[in-house]
Amino acid sequence: QKEVEQDPGPLSVPEGAIVSLNCTYSNSAFQYFMWYRQYSRKGPELLMYTYSSGNKEDGRFTAQVDKSSKYISLFIRDSQPSDSATYLCAMMPFNTNAGKSTFGDGTTLTVKP
Amino acid sequence: NAGVTQTPKFQVLKTGQSMTLQCAQDMNHNSMYWYRQDPGMGLRLIYYSASEGTTDKGEVPNGYNVSRLNKREFSLRLESAAPSQTSVYFCASTPTGLGGYTFGSGTRLTVV
């Protein structure tokens, strides 16, 4: 069983919809939680970075971490066609040796005009 | 532009050939990483370097070697390429080893 499981998708929504992307994990040592966006044939780009539990908001994006349930989410409000991409969750323990992240497999999102 | 630069962007190798993938960052980051990305398998860590002068194996190191040439550069070498090494390779870096990475744009490698 993988340490990080991500909803596989694909996900298709109309423009303006609220999108919810989710990951679960099994390693209780994970303390750092990241979301990356990856456009087709490009490298991943860091979107959100959260330490421990709670919410973090950045514009239309909100990251939530629930460590008691080992569940993280990324919400996208007022989704735009430019949000169409693959979204990767990633996690890292606090006592990591050199910041090795464990990634989910990604959820591909399409936002239709 | 500041960031992580990978060369080459595309490469086709024959089975048994060798090659080196180059990576350089100009952000004064301490830690650098090599990942491969395959459909259905996500990003898997090949090797990493916590700081200049150190390197360690990741999840899938077999068939690869690395060199941390200096603080800026971290290269990945395939000594004898195999079709199973067909993949997209990403280099990444982070300032302190905690938190999010900055990724390069990737090298698409095909081994025939």
Side-chain angles (χ1 to χ4, degrees), chain A residues 27-93:
Chain A
N27 187 347
S28 58
F30 288 143
Q31 295 279 357
Y32 294 90
F33 303 93
M34 284 72 68
W35 285 96
Y36 293 85
R37 176 176 62 196
Q38 185 175 23
Y39 291 116
S40 180
R41 305 181 77 83
K42 301 290 186 183
E45 168 195 16
L46 181 66
L47 266 183
M48 303 285 284
Y49 159 48
T50 309
Y51 173 70
S52 195
S53 285
N55 294 0
K56 185 174 183 178
E57 187 173 321
D58 184 2
R60 296 184 295 110
F61 299 89
T62 299
Q64 283 188 352
V65 175
D66 181 350
K67 291 187 66 182
S68 62
S69 302
K70 297 189 176 65
Y71 190 89
I72 72 169
S73 299
L74 178 70
F75 296 95
I76 307 175
R77 292 183 299 280
D78 188 24
S79 56
Q80 302 296 310
S82 58
D83 295 327
S84 298
T86 296
Y87 290 80
L88 304 165
C89 64
M91 307 178 189
M92 183 188 298

Side-chain angles (χ1 to χ4, degrees), chain B residues 19-23 32-35 45-51 53-58 60-70 73-79 89-91:
Chain B
M19 79 161 295
T20 299
L21 281 63
Q22 306 286 353
C23 175
M32 298 184 73
Y33 312 83
W34 277 104
Y35 281 85
L45 182 63
I46 305 171
Y47 270 93
Y48 65 99
S49 171
S51 59
T54 69
T55 60
D56 281 290
K57 296 178 180 179
V60 288
N62 291 345
Y64 305 95
N65 283 299
V66 290
S67 295
R68 183 76 183 264
L69 305 170
N70 47 55
E73 299 172 286
F74 188 38
S75 62
L76 178 71
R77 182 160 178 85
L78 287 70
E79 292 291 351
Y89 291 84
F90 289 103
C91 178

Side-chain angles (χ1 to χ4, degrees), chain B:
Chain B
N1 290 338
V4 178
T5 302
Q6 290 185 239
T7 55
K9 294 190 184 304
F10 303 93
Q11 185 71 47
V12 179
L13 288 179
K14 294 182 179 179
T15 297
Q17 286 186 318
S18 62
M19 79 161 295
T20 299
L21 281 63
Q22 306 286 353
C23 175
Q25 52 89 11
D26 58 5
M27 298 170 288
N28 202 35
H29 286 178
N30 285 313
S31 302
M32 298 184 73
Y33 312 83
W34 277 104
Y35 281 85
R36 59 178 289 174
Q37 187 175 39
D38 303 288
M41 304 190 77
L43 282 158
R44 293 181 292 167
L45 182 63
I46 305 171
Y47 270 93
Y48 65 99
S49 171
S51 59
E52 184 179 357
T54 69
T55 60
D56 281 290
K57 296 178 180 179
E59 181 185 355
V60 288
N62 291 345
Y64 305 95
N65 283 299
V66 290
S67 295
R68 183 76 183 264
L69 305 170
N70 47 55
K71 191 171 185 178
R72 290 186 64 246
E73 299 172 286
F74 188 38
S75 62
L76 178 71
R77 182 160 178 85
L78 287 70
E79 292 291 351
S80 178
S84 61
Q85 294 178 305
T86 293
S87 188
V88 182
Y89 291 84
F90 289 103
C91 178
S93 69
T94 188
T96 61
L98 295 175
Y101 297 161
T102 300
F103 279 89
S105 57
T107 295
R108 293 183 174 272
L109 175 67
T110 302
V111 183
V112 299

